[in-house]
Amino acid sequence: MKKIKKSEADWKSQLTAVEYDVCRMKGTEPPFSGEYNNFKENGTYSCLCCGLELFSSSHKFNSGTGWPSFWQPVNGEAVVKKIDSGLFMIRTEVICSRCDAHLGHVFDDGPQPTGLRYCINSVSLQFFSR
């Protein structure tokens, strides 16, 4: 997959201040505030920054955490996992494999069959219905 690289100035011109904070500066939207937290339509969630398909509505579940949660990405190449040791804890960050946008984090307390919970910021996603 060809990587998308842009300058910080280009990202700032493409994204709103909140989108830039979450996607490029690794911020987090407040819980229960995101557009897709309780969203139930059928379709695909793509990266806001580059449009890469990331998650399917068929893998979405209500985790009760305040952010959209998925038990797996659309495929193994859609996202990259990185160790995040910020905020005085160790977590696994999830980023877009094409443009390195911060999406959220993945935890091992999700439903079967994977046991994973990809906890994703709504602001880092765009939705396309089927």
Side-chain angles (χ1 to χ4, degrees):
M1 176 179 319
K2 186 174 178 182
K3 294 289 268 187
I4 292 177
K5 298 282 186 186
K6 294 184 180 185
S7 69
E8 291 307 305
D10 287 341
W11 286 123
K12 283 182 178 179
S13 70
Q14 175 183 330
L15 304 169
T16 67
V18 172
E19 292 166 350
Y20 181 82
D21 179 59
V22 170
C23 297
R24 308 315 308 175
M25 302 305 294
K26 303 179 187 229
T28 301
E29 66 192 7
F32 304 100
S33 69
E35 174 181 7
Y36 301 125
N37 182 45
N38 290 317
F39 193 75
K40 301 199 186 322
E41 300 219 11
N42 291 326
T44 303
Y45 296 85
S46 297
C47 177
L48 175 74
C49 295
C50 73
L52 180 67
E53 287 188 3
L54 301 171
F55 299 97
S56 168
S57 61
S58 62
H59 301 143
K60 189 173 189 273
F61 69 98
N62 183 357
S63 66
T65 60
W67 292 276
S69 297
F70 304 87
W71 50 270
Q72 74 178 23
V74 292
N75 65 57
E77 297 175 1
V79 300
V80 174
K81 299 174 191 174
K82 288 185 164 184
I83 297 300
D84 175 2
S85 58
L87 299 177
F88 307 105
M89 64 181 100
I90 297 178
R91 301 177 292 177
T92 303
E93 178 186 13
V94 179
I95 63 172
C96 173
S97 62
R98 183 159 54 190
C99 71
D100 295 332
H102 171 75
L103 304 171
H105 292 86
V106 62
F107 303 94
D108 61 2
D109 60 359
Q112 292 304 317
T114 65
L116 298 175
R117 173 174 54 95
Y118 286 82
C119 188
I120 307 298
N121 291 286
S122 289
V123 73
S124 68
L125 302 172
Q126 54 185 340
F127 179 80
F128 296 95
S129 61
R130 288 189 195 143

